[in-house]
Amino acid sequence: MPTRTAAQQRADAGVAYDAYLAECPARHLLDRIADKWVSLAITALADGPQRYGELRRRLASVSQKMLTQTLRNLERDGLVTRTVTPSVPVRVDYELTDLGRSLLPVMHAIKSWAELHMDEVHTARTRYDTDRP
């Protein structure tokens, strides 16, 4: 019997993606959207299209390389569109797609949760670090 890919096995079994399985592509997508720069870029783009420089200023401390890589990955995954307007200098705008906008409630919830509970997490970390031998 020839070897079959995970996608072929899922199709044959009529099984949906299962991120608990190591070879599942959904696991890679979870890795992508769990990245801090991805979540911050998506929430920053919630207000509408932005130029690269605007995003870089908004995402304080992101390097040019990391922001470029993040935006390319988001574009590749269909979460962001990149529009180039010929001018001097060239204008490049980034905007969430419908798919990207569908992530906003989740991203906003995670960002809000982190901001709301940071003091509690900080206290827990301090307690953990002090109690460890």
Side-chain angles (χ1 to χ4, degrees):
M1 173 182 261
T3 304
R4 296 176 323 157
T5 67
Q8 290 169 326
Q9 292 173 15
R10 270 194 315 280
D12 291 348
V15 177
Y17 293 110
D18 182 352
Y20 288 115
L21 300 175
E23 70 279 357
C24 183
R27 183 177 282 199
H28 299 289
L29 183 57
L30 285 172
D31 284 342
R32 170 96 68 230
I33 62 177
D35 178 81
K36 73 176 174 185
W37 296 121
V38 167
S39 62
L40 292 172
I42 287 174
T43 55
L45 288 167
D47 299 332
Q50 291 185 46
R51 295 178 78 172
Y52 182 90
E54 294 170 316
L55 281 170
R56 184 142 185 236
R57 282 188 293 280
R58 183 114 187 246
L59 279 63
S61 81
V62 67
S63 69
Q64 180 177 345
K65 179 182 175 183
M66 184 53 67
L67 181 56
T68 298
Q69 181 181 329
T70 298
L71 291 169
R72 283 183 182 157
N73 286 335
L74 290 173
E75 185 179 9
R76 181 173 182 251
D77 289 342
L79 302 174
V80 167
T81 58
R82 178 180 184 265
T83 305
V84 178
T85 306
S87 62
V88 178
V90 173
R91 179 184 175 106
V92 180
D93 291 289
Y94 294 90
E95 182 176 11
L96 291 175
T97 62
D98 289 341
L99 184 60
R101 279 189 289 282
S102 73
L103 262 177
L104 282 173
V106 175
M107 294 301 185
H108 280 304
I110 291 170
K111 180 179 173 287
S112 295
W113 183 91
E115 293 167 347
L116 181 65
H117 294 285
M118 194 59 237
D119 287 339
E120 294 168 74
V121 171
H122 180 69
T123 300
R125 287 177 180 173
T126 302
R127 187 178 333 109
Y128 179 90
D129 292 344
T130 337
D131 293 348
R132 304 293 293 180

